[in-house]
Amino acid sequence: MASQKYWLMKSEALDYSIDDFAKDKRSDWHGVRNYQARNYMRDEMKNGDLILFYHSNANPSGIAGLGEVIRTGYPDFTQFDSKSEYFDKKATEEKPIWYMVDIQFKEKFSHFISLEELKRNKALQNMLLIRHGRLSVQPVEEKHFKIIQKISFAHGGK
DNA sequence: GCCAACGTTGGC
DNA sequence: GCCAACGTTGGC
């Protein structure tokens, strides 16, 4: 697929881990409250795009597996829910502010690729994750994705 | 529209 | 728990 893109999405492992994702099979990605991350989900993510599932605030942090976009951007329901920690009083059903996508579980890496390992890899020095660590949904260049895939293959990944 | 103050993320 | 880096808010 020529137009296929690659992304990295962060989840706090204590909150929602790759094992939770594997169990659910699919998940919506509610709760993102950063405009740049929202724009990627609302405007740029397409069905079939592949997702690196990243554990942040974890011990260690790193890439835990793979997912795939199966529903493009639509309003994040939690912005309308006054009981939700993600409630946004400025948002209305007519004018939603926050968007999310749905992703499907594909694979849990048999070899967890820690941030330390990513940083050590010379070919990944320019990866956005390394340069700009805080963005919770970010594009991944194809060459970087392929390298990560290769690392997974080298450790018996699918 | 600038920018100081404040809040959040996330590695360590 | 600390704190650097960065994003957001709000006064002017």
PDB file of all heavy atoms in Angstrom, chain A residues 104-135:
ATOM      1  N   GLN A 104      -6.654  -1.770  15.978  1.00  0.00           N
ATOM      2  CA  GLN A 104      -6.781  -3.201  16.210  1.00  0.00           C
ATOM      3  C   GLN A 104      -5.430  -3.775  16.610  1.00  0.00           C
ATOM      4  O   GLN A 104      -4.403  -3.406  16.052  1.00  0.00           O
ATOM      5  CB  GLN A 104      -7.253  -3.883  14.928  1.00  0.00           C
ATOM      6  CG  GLN A 104      -7.370  -5.399  15.064  1.00  0.00           C
ATOM      7  CD  GLN A 104      -8.436  -5.933  14.148  1.00  0.00           C
ATOM      8  OE1 GLN A 104      -8.456  -5.597  12.963  1.00  0.00           O
ATOM      9  NE2 GLN A 104      -9.338  -6.740  14.674  1.00  0.00           N
ATOM     10  N   PHE A 105      -5.490  -4.691  17.556  1.00  0.00           N
ATOM     11  CA  PHE A 105      -4.261  -5.364  17.992  1.00  0.00           C
ATOM     12  C   PHE A 105      -3.710  -6.243  16.878  1.00  0.00           C
ATOM     13  O   PHE A 105      -4.466  -6.949  16.215  1.00  0.00           O
ATOM     14  CB  PHE A 105      -4.566  -6.233  19.213  1.00  0.00           C
ATOM     15  CG  PHE A 105      -3.397  -7.063  19.669  1.00  0.00           C
ATOM     16  CD1 PHE A 105      -2.371  -6.495  20.394  1.00  0.00           C
ATOM     17  CD2 PHE A 105      -3.322  -8.405  19.343  1.00  0.00           C
ATOM     18  CE1 PHE A 105      -1.288  -7.257  20.808  1.00  0.00           C
ATOM     19  CE2 PHE A 105      -2.234  -9.174  19.753  1.00  0.00           C
ATOM     20  CZ  PHE A 105      -1.218  -8.595  20.480  1.00  0.00           C
ATOM     21  N   LYS A 106      -2.402  -6.193  16.671  1.00  0.00           N
ATOM     22  CA  LYS A 106      -1.774  -7.081  15.695  1.00  0.00           C
ATOM     23  C   LYS A 106      -0.771  -8.032  16.336  1.00  0.00           C
ATOM     24  O   LYS A 106      -0.750  -9.196  16.031  1.00  0.00           O
ATOM     25  CB  LYS A 106      -1.034  -6.266  14.614  1.00  0.00           C
ATOM     26  CG  LYS A 106      -1.949  -5.721  13.549  1.00  0.00           C
ATOM     27  CD  LYS A 106      -1.170  -5.094  12.404  1.00  0.00           C
ATOM     28  CE  LYS A 106      -0.629  -6.102  11.407  1.00  0.00           C
ATOM     29  NZ  LYS A 106      -1.674  -6.575  10.481  1.00  0.00           N
ATOM     30  N   GLU A 107       0.065  -7.491  17.207  1.00  0.00           N
ATOM     31  CA  GLU A 107       1.162  -8.309  17.707  1.00  0.00           C
ATOM     32  C   GLU A 107       1.755  -7.721  18.982  1.00  0.00           C
ATOM     33  O   GLU A 107       1.866  -6.506  19.105  1.00  0.00           O
ATOM     34  CB  GLU A 107       2.258  -8.344  16.617  1.00  0.00           C
ATOM     35  CG  GLU A 107       3.447  -9.206  16.953  1.00  0.00           C
ATOM     36  CD  GLU A 107       4.553  -9.092  15.896  1.00  0.00           C
ATOM     37  OE1 GLU A 107       4.288  -8.554  14.802  1.00  0.00           O
ATOM     38  OE2 GLU A 107       5.678  -9.526  16.181  1.00  0.00           O
ATOM     39  N   LYS A 108       2.091  -8.612  19.909  1.00  0.00           N
ATOM     40  CA  LYS A 108       2.919  -8.208  21.046  1.00  0.00           C
ATOM     41  C   LYS A 108       4.331  -8.667  20.730  1.00  0.00           C
ATOM     42  O   LYS A 108       4.546  -9.858  20.453  1.00  0.00           O
ATOM     43  CB  LYS A 108       2.424  -8.860  22.333  1.00  0.00           C
ATOM     44  CG  LYS A 108       3.295  -8.553  23.533  1.00  0.00           C
ATOM     45  CD  LYS A 108       2.829  -9.264  24.797  1.00  0.00           C
ATOM     46  CE  LYS A 108       3.795  -8.973  25.942  1.00  0.00           C
ATOM     47  NZ  LYS A 108       3.345  -9.622  27.204  1.00  0.00           N
ATOM     48  N   PHE A 109       5.280  -7.765  20.743  1.00  0.00           N
ATOM     49  CA  PHE A 109       6.661  -8.150  20.437  1.00  0.00           C
ATOM     50  C   PHE A 109       7.171  -9.142  21.470  1.00  0.00           C
ATOM     51  O   PHE A 109       7.046  -8.916  22.685  1.00  0.00           O
ATOM     52  CB  PHE A 109       7.578  -6.920  20.428  1.00  0.00           C
ATOM     53  CG  PHE A 109       7.438  -6.052  19.195  1.00  0.00           C
ATOM     54  CD1 PHE A 109       7.907  -4.743  19.206  1.00  0.00           C
ATOM     55  CD2 PHE A 109       6.856  -6.534  18.028  1.00  0.00           C
ATOM     56  CE1 PHE A 109       7.796  -3.937  18.079  1.00  0.00           C
ATOM     57  CE2 PHE A 109       6.742  -5.735  16.894  1.00  0.00           C
ATOM     58  CZ  PHE A 109       7.208  -4.424  16.926  1.00  0.00           C
ATOM     59  N   SER A 110       7.750 -10.247  20.978  1.00  0.00           N
ATOM     60  CA  SER A 110       8.351 -11.201  21.919  1.00  0.00           C
ATOM     61  C   SER A 110       9.578 -10.550  22.570  1.00  0.00           C
ATOM     62  O   SER A 110       9.969 -10.898  23.671  1.00  0.00           O
ATOM     63  CB  SER A 110       8.732 -12.496  21.204  1.00  0.00           C
ATOM     64  OG  SER A 110       9.537 -12.212  20.085  1.00  0.00           O
ATOM     65  N   HIS A 111      10.155  -9.601  21.846  1.00  0.00           N
ATOM     66  CA  HIS A 111      11.273  -8.835  22.393  1.00  0.00           C
ATOM     67  C   HIS A 111      10.835  -7.385  22.551  1.00  0.00           C
ATOM     68  O   HIS A 111      10.684  -6.663  21.568  1.00  0.00           O
ATOM     69  CB  HIS A 111      12.481  -8.933  21.444  1.00  0.00           C
ATOM     70  CG  HIS A 111      13.570  -7.966  21.767  1.00  0.00           C
ATOM     71  ND1 HIS A 111      14.349  -8.087  22.894  1.00  0.00           N
ATOM     72  CD2 HIS A 111      14.001  -6.851  21.133  1.00  0.00           C
ATOM     73  CE1 HIS A 111      15.219  -7.086  22.923  1.00  0.00           C
ATOM     74  NE2 HIS A 111      15.023  -6.324  21.869  1.00  0.00           N
ATOM     75  N   PHE A 112      10.624  -6.958  23.787  1.00  0.00           N
ATOM     76  CA  PHE A 112      10.264  -5.570  24.088  1.00  0.00           C
ATOM     77  C   PHE A 112      11.454  -4.676  23.750  1.00  0.00           C
ATOM     78  O   PHE A 112      12.567  -4.931  24.205  1.00  0.00           O
ATOM     79  CB  PHE A 112       9.919  -5.476  25.579  1.00  0.00           C
ATOM     80  CG  PHE A 112       9.561  -4.092  26.048  1.00  0.00           C
ATOM     81  CD1 PHE A 112       8.255  -3.651  25.966  1.00  0.00           C
ATOM     82  CD2 PHE A 112      10.530  -3.260  26.593  1.00  0.00           C
ATOM     83  CE1 PHE A 112       7.908  -2.381  26.417  1.00  0.00           C
ATOM     84  CE2 PHE A 112      10.192  -1.985  27.043  1.00  0.00           C
ATOM     85  CZ  PHE A 112       8.883  -1.555  26.954  1.00  0.00           C
ATOM     86  N   ILE A 113      11.216  -3.646  22.943  1.00  0.00           N
ATOM     87  CA  ILE A 113      12.325  -2.784  22.520  1.00  0.00           C
ATOM     88  C   ILE A 113      12.345  -1.530  23.392  1.00  0.00           C
ATOM     89  O   ILE A 113      11.541  -0.618  23.206  1.00  0.00           O
ATOM     90  CB  ILE A 113      12.206  -2.409  21.033  1.00  0.00           C
ATOM     91  CG1 ILE A 113      12.034  -3.677  20.176  1.00  0.00           C
ATOM     92  CG2 ILE A 113      13.429  -1.619  20.588  1.00  0.00           C
ATOM     93  CD1 ILE A 113      11.716  -3.393  18.714  1.00  0.00           C
ATOM     94  N   SER A 114      13.252  -1.521  24.334  1.00  0.00           N
ATOM     95  CA  SER A 114      13.285  -0.430  25.305  1.00  0.00           C
ATOM     96  C   SER A 114      13.765   0.871  24.669  1.00  0.00           C
ATOM     97  O   SER A 114      14.452   0.869  23.643  1.00  0.00           O
ATOM     98  CB  SER A 114      14.210  -0.787  26.463  1.00  0.00           C
ATOM     99  OG  SER A 114      15.551  -0.792  26.009  1.00  0.00           O
ATOM    100  N   LEU A 115      13.399   1.962  25.299  1.00  0.00           N
ATOM    101  CA  LEU A 115      13.848   3.277  24.838  1.00  0.00           C
ATOM    102  C   LEU A 115      15.376   3.325  24.802  1.00  0.00           C
ATOM    103  O   LEU A 115      15.967   3.900  23.891  1.00  0.00           O
ATOM    104  CB  LEU A 115      13.308   4.366  25.774  1.00  0.00           C
ATOM    105  CG  LEU A 115      13.697   5.803  25.420  1.00  0.00           C
ATOM    106  CD1 LEU A 115      13.194   6.165  24.031  1.00  0.00           C
ATOM    107  CD2 LEU A 115      13.155   6.774  26.458  1.00  0.00           C
ATOM    108  N   GLU A 116      15.985   2.699  25.774  1.00  0.00           N
ATOM    109  CA  GLU A 116      17.441   2.668  25.823  1.00  0.00           C
ATOM    110  C   GLU A 116      18.007   2.001  24.574  1.00  0.00           C
ATOM    111  O   GLU A 116      18.961   2.490  23.969  1.00  0.00           O
ATOM    112  CB  GLU A 116      17.880   1.918  27.085  1.00  0.00           C
ATOM    113  CG  GLU A 116      19.301   2.212  27.496  1.00  0.00           C
ATOM    114  CD  GLU A 116      20.091   0.957  27.782  1.00  0.00           C
ATOM    115  OE1 GLU A 116      19.484  -0.030  28.250  1.00  0.00           O
ATOM    116  OE2 GLU A 116      21.305   0.952  27.514  1.00  0.00           O
ATOM    117  N   GLU A 117      17.382   0.875  24.173  1.00  0.00           N
ATOM    118  CA  GLU A 117      17.843   0.185  22.967  1.00  0.00           C
ATOM    119  C   GLU A 117      17.627   1.043  21.723  1.00  0.00           C
ATOM    120  O   GLU A 117      18.470   1.082  20.830  1.00  0.00           O
ATOM    121  CB  GLU A 117      17.108  -1.160  22.824  1.00  0.00           C
ATOM    122  CG  GLU A 117      17.524  -1.923  21.582  1.00  0.00           C
ATOM    123  CD  GLU A 117      16.960  -3.350  21.519  1.00  0.00           C
ATOM    124  OE1 GLU A 117      16.305  -3.789  22.489  1.00  0.00           O
ATOM    125  OE2 GLU A 117      17.194  -3.999  20.487  1.00  0.00           O
ATOM    126  N   LEU A 118      16.509   1.744  21.677  1.00  0.00           N
ATOM    127  CA  LEU A 118      16.239   2.624  20.543  1.00  0.00           C
ATOM    128  C   LEU A 118      17.282   3.735  20.471  1.00  0.00           C
ATOM    129  O   LEU A 118      17.803   4.051  19.403  1.00  0.00           O
ATOM    130  CB  LEU A 118      14.843   3.249  20.671  1.00  0.00           C
ATOM    131  CG  LEU A 118      13.659   2.286  20.601  1.00  0.00           C
ATOM    132  CD1 LEU A 118      12.376   2.976  21.037  1.00  0.00           C
ATOM    133  CD2 LEU A 118      13.498   1.721  19.192  1.00  0.00           C
ATOM    134  N   LYS A 119      17.589   4.299  21.619  1.00  0.00           N
ATOM    135  CA  LYS A 119      18.575   5.390  21.666  1.00  0.00           C
ATOM    136  C   LYS A 119      19.964   4.919  21.260  1.00  0.00           C
ATOM    137  O   LYS A 119      20.746   5.665  20.678  1.00  0.00           O
ATOM    138  CB  LYS A 119      18.641   5.975  23.074  1.00  0.00           C
ATOM    139  CG  LYS A 119      17.504   6.915  23.402  1.00  0.00           C
ATOM    140  CD  LYS A 119      17.684   7.480  24.798  1.00  0.00           C
ATOM    141  CE  LYS A 119      16.658   8.557  25.096  1.00  0.00           C
ATOM    142  NZ  LYS A 119      16.648   8.878  26.552  1.00  0.00           N
ATOM    143  N   ARG A 120      20.264   3.670  21.610  1.00  0.00           N
ATOM    144  CA  ARG A 120      21.580   3.123  21.306  1.00  0.00           C
ATOM    145  C   ARG A 120      21.759   2.868  19.812  1.00  0.00           C
ATOM    146  O   ARG A 120      22.882   2.789  19.321  1.00  0.00           O
ATOM    147  CB  ARG A 120      21.759   1.804  22.075  1.00  0.00           C
ATOM    148  CG  ARG A 120      22.959   1.790  22.997  1.00  0.00           C
ATOM    149  CD  ARG A 120      23.231   0.398  23.553  1.00  0.00           C
ATOM    150  NE  ARG A 120      22.138  -0.124  24.371  1.00  0.00           N
ATOM    151  CZ  ARG A 120      21.533  -1.298  24.115  1.00  0.00           C
ATOM    152  NH1 ARG A 120      21.884  -2.048  23.104  1.00  0.00           N
ATOM    153  NH2 ARG A 120      20.568  -1.710  24.917  1.00  0.00           N
ATOM    154  N   ASN A 121      20.637   2.690  19.096  1.00  0.00           N
ATOM    155  CA  ASN A 121      20.701   2.347  17.677  1.00  0.00           C
ATOM    156  C   ASN A 121      21.000   3.587  16.830  1.00  0.00           C
ATOM    157  O   ASN A 121      20.197   4.509  16.753  1.00  0.00           O
ATOM    158  CB  ASN A 121      19.372   1.715  17.257  1.00  0.00           C
ATOM    159  CG  ASN A 121      19.446   1.102  15.881  1.00  0.00           C
ATOM    160  OD1 ASN A 121      19.984   1.703  14.946  1.00  0.00           O
ATOM    161  ND2 ASN A 121      18.919  -0.095  15.754  1.00  0.00           N
ATOM    162  N   LYS A 122      22.143   3.585  16.180  1.00  0.00           N
ATOM    163  CA  LYS A 122      22.589   4.759  15.422  1.00  0.00           C
ATOM    164  C   LYS A 122      21.599   5.149  14.329  1.00  0.00           C
ATOM    165  O   LYS A 122      21.428   6.323  14.025  1.00  0.00           O
ATOM    166  CB  LYS A 122      23.962   4.485  14.802  1.00  0.00           C
ATOM    167  CG  LYS A 122      25.087   4.351  15.822  1.00  0.00           C
ATOM    168  CD  LYS A 122      26.113   5.426  15.608  1.00  0.00           C
ATOM    169  CE  LYS A 122      27.212   5.473  16.663  1.00  0.00           C
ATOM    170  NZ  LYS A 122      27.075   4.586  17.813  1.00  0.00           N
ATOM    171  N   ALA A 123      20.946   4.142  13.739  1.00  0.00           N
ATOM    172  CA  ALA A 123      20.024   4.396  12.630  1.00  0.00           C
ATOM    173  C   ALA A 123      18.724   5.051  13.099  1.00  0.00           C
ATOM    174  O   ALA A 123      17.920   5.485  12.284  1.00  0.00           O
ATOM    175  CB  ALA A 123      19.730   3.094  11.890  1.00  0.00           C
ATOM    176  N   LEU A 124      18.539   5.113  14.396  1.00  0.00           N
ATOM    177  CA  LEU A 124      17.292   5.680  14.918  1.00  0.00           C
ATOM    178  C   LEU A 124      17.493   7.026  15.623  1.00  0.00           C
ATOM    179  O   LEU A 124      16.579   7.554  16.237  1.00  0.00           O
ATOM    180  CB  LEU A 124      16.635   4.690  15.887  1.00  0.00           C
ATOM    181  CG  LEU A 124      16.180   3.359  15.276  1.00  0.00           C
ATOM    182  CD1 LEU A 124      15.674   2.418  16.359  1.00  0.00           C
ATOM    183  CD2 LEU A 124      15.108   3.580  14.218  1.00  0.00           C
ATOM    184  N   GLN A 125      18.698   7.573  15.473  1.00  0.00           N
ATOM    185  CA  GLN A 125      19.018   8.832  16.158  1.00  0.00           C
ATOM    186  C   GLN A 125      18.055   9.961  15.799  1.00  0.00           C
ATOM    187  O   GLN A 125      17.765  10.836  16.607  1.00  0.00           O
ATOM    188  CB  GLN A 125      20.438   9.292  15.805  1.00  0.00           C
ATOM    189  CG  GLN A 125      21.532   8.331  16.235  1.00  0.00           C
ATOM    190  CD  GLN A 125      21.646   8.224  17.742  1.00  0.00           C
ATOM    191  OE1 GLN A 125      21.871   9.220  18.403  1.00  0.00           O
ATOM    192  NE2 GLN A 125      21.472   7.037  18.273  1.00  0.00           N
ATOM    193  N   ASN A 126      17.567   9.929  14.536  1.00  0.00           N
ATOM    194  CA  ASN A 126      16.699  11.017  14.076  1.00  0.00           C
ATOM    195  C   ASN A 126      15.223  10.758  14.302  1.00  0.00           C
ATOM    196  O   ASN A 126      14.385  11.552  13.904  1.00  0.00           O
ATOM    197  CB  ASN A 126      16.908  11.251  12.575  1.00  0.00           C
ATOM    198  CG  ASN A 126      18.258  11.856  12.298  1.00  0.00           C
ATOM    199  OD1 ASN A 126      18.763  12.649  13.095  1.00  0.00           O
ATOM    200  ND2 ASN A 126      18.869  11.470  11.193  1.00  0.00           N
ATOM    201  N   MET A 127      14.919   9.637  14.892  1.00  0.00           N
ATOM    202  CA  MET A 127      13.524   9.315  15.113  1.00  0.00           C
ATOM    203  C   MET A 127      12.880  10.380  16.011  1.00  0.00           C
ATOM    204  O   MET A 127      13.479  10.843  16.977  1.00  0.00           O
ATOM    205  CB  MET A 127      13.442   7.939  15.783  1.00  0.00           C
ATOM    206  CG  MET A 127      12.095   7.298  15.676  1.00  0.00           C
ATOM    207  SD  MET A 127      12.118   5.658  16.444  1.00  0.00           S
ATOM    208  CE  MET A 127      10.346   5.372  16.531  1.00  0.00           C
ATOM    209  N   LEU A 128      11.659  10.755  15.645  1.00  0.00           N
ATOM    210  CA  LEU A 128      10.959  11.808  16.383  1.00  0.00           C
ATOM    211  C   LEU A 128      10.872  11.488  17.881  1.00  0.00           C
ATOM    212  O   LEU A 128      11.001  12.359  18.727  1.00  0.00           O
ATOM    213  CB  LEU A 128       9.555  11.984  15.791  1.00  0.00           C
ATOM    214  CG  LEU A 128       8.828  13.295  16.077  1.00  0.00           C
ATOM    215  CD1 LEU A 128       9.677  14.486  15.672  1.00  0.00           C
ATOM    216  CD2 LEU A 128       7.492  13.315  15.364  1.00  0.00           C
ATOM    217  N   LEU A 129      10.657  10.225  18.159  1.00  0.00           N
ATOM    218  CA  LEU A 129      10.559   9.806  19.564  1.00  0.00           C
ATOM    219  C   LEU A 129      11.806  10.196  20.349  1.00  0.00           C
ATOM    220  O   LEU A 129      11.728  10.609  21.507  1.00  0.00           O
ATOM    221  CB  LEU A 129      10.368   8.281  19.637  1.00  0.00           C
ATOM    222  CG  LEU A 129      10.303   7.695  21.045  1.00  0.00           C
ATOM    223  CD1 LEU A 129       8.982   8.034  21.704  1.00  0.00           C
ATOM    224  CD2 LEU A 129      10.512   6.197  21.014  1.00  0.00           C
ATOM    225  N   ILE A 130      12.959  10.062  19.697  1.00  0.00           N
ATOM    226  CA  ILE A 130      14.225  10.378  20.354  1.00  0.00           C
ATOM    227  C   ILE A 130      14.427  11.884  20.425  1.00  0.00           C
ATOM    228  O   ILE A 130      14.875  12.427  21.437  1.00  0.00           O
ATOM    229  CB  ILE A 130      15.406   9.737  19.580  1.00  0.00           C
ATOM    230  CG1 ILE A 130      15.164   8.242  19.318  1.00  0.00           C
ATOM    231  CG2 ILE A 130      16.726   9.959  20.314  1.00  0.00           C
ATOM    232  CD1 ILE A 130      14.981   7.407  20.549  1.00  0.00           C
ATOM    233  N   ARG A 131      14.032  12.575  19.342  1.00  0.00           N
ATOM    234  CA  ARG A 131      14.265  14.022  19.269  1.00  0.00           C
ATOM    235  C   ARG A 131      13.224  14.806  20.038  1.00  0.00           C
ATOM    236  O   ARG A 131      13.501  15.892  20.559  1.00  0.00           O
ATOM    237  CB  ARG A 131      14.261  14.480  17.805  1.00  0.00           C
ATOM    238  CG  ARG A 131      15.471  14.012  17.050  1.00  0.00           C
ATOM    239  CD  ARG A 131      15.554  14.548  15.602  1.00  0.00           C
ATOM    240  NE  ARG A 131      14.457  15.411  15.208  1.00  0.00           N
ATOM    241  CZ  ARG A 131      13.598  15.123  14.222  1.00  0.00           C
ATOM    242  NH1 ARG A 131      13.708  13.993  13.570  1.00  0.00           N
ATOM    243  NH2 ARG A 131      12.667  15.972  13.894  1.00  0.00           N
ATOM    244  N   HIS A 132      11.996  14.303  20.031  1.00  0.00           N
ATOM    245  CA  HIS A 132      10.890  15.080  20.583  1.00  0.00           C
ATOM    246  C   HIS A 132      10.008  14.127  21.377  1.00  0.00           C
ATOM    247  O   HIS A 132       8.951  13.707  20.937  1.00  0.00           O
ATOM    248  CB  HIS A 132      10.115  15.720  19.434  1.00  0.00           C
ATOM    249  CG  HIS A 132       9.020  16.630  19.865  1.00  0.00           C
ATOM    250  ND1 HIS A 132       9.257  17.828  20.475  1.00  0.00           N
ATOM    251  CD2 HIS A 132       7.679  16.515  19.782  1.00  0.00           C
ATOM    252  CE1 HIS A 132       8.104  18.410  20.742  1.00  0.00           C
ATOM    253  NE2 HIS A 132       7.131  17.634  20.342  1.00  0.00           N
ATOM    254  N   GLY A 133      10.494  13.798  22.559  1.00  0.00           N
ATOM    255  CA  GLY A 133       9.936  12.678  23.283  1.00  0.00           C
ATOM    256  C   GLY A 133       8.501  12.800  23.762  1.00  0.00           C
ATOM    257  O   GLY A 133       7.861  11.801  24.008  1.00  0.00           O
ATOM    258  N   ARG A 134       7.979  14.013  23.894  1.00  0.00           N
ATOM    259  CA  ARG A 134       6.733  14.141  24.646  1.00  0.00           C
ATOM    260  C   ARG A 134       5.449  13.933  23.864  1.00  0.00           C
ATOM    261  O   ARG A 134       4.395  13.724  24.450  1.00  0.00           O
ATOM    262  CB  ARG A 134       6.687  15.507  25.317  1.00  0.00           C
ATOM    263  CG  ARG A 134       7.800  15.671  26.335  1.00  0.00           C
ATOM    264  CD  ARG A 134       7.585  16.840  27.251  1.00  0.00           C
ATOM    265  NE  ARG A 134       6.571  17.754  26.767  1.00  0.00           N
ATOM    266  CZ  ARG A 134       5.783  18.455  27.558  1.00  0.00           C
ATOM    267  NH1 ARG A 134       5.889  18.335  28.846  1.00  0.00           N
ATOM    268  NH2 ARG A 134       4.900  19.272  27.052  1.00  0.00           N
ATOM    269  N   LEU A 135       5.522  14.056  22.558  1.00  0.00           N
ATOM    270  CA  LEU A 135       4.297  13.934  21.760  1.00  0.00           C
ATOM    271  C   LEU A 135       3.728  12.514  21.843  1.00  0.00           C
ATOM    272  O   LEU A 135       4.435  11.542  21.586  1.00  0.00           O
ATOM    273  CB  LEU A 135       4.625  14.304  20.316  1.00  0.00           C
ATOM    274  CG  LEU A 135       3.466  14.532  19.361  1.00  0.00           C
ATOM    275  CD1 LEU A 135       2.528  15.611  19.875  1.00  0.00           C
ATOM    276  CD2 LEU A 135       4.011  14.901  17.994  1.00  0.00           C
TER     277      LEU A 135
END
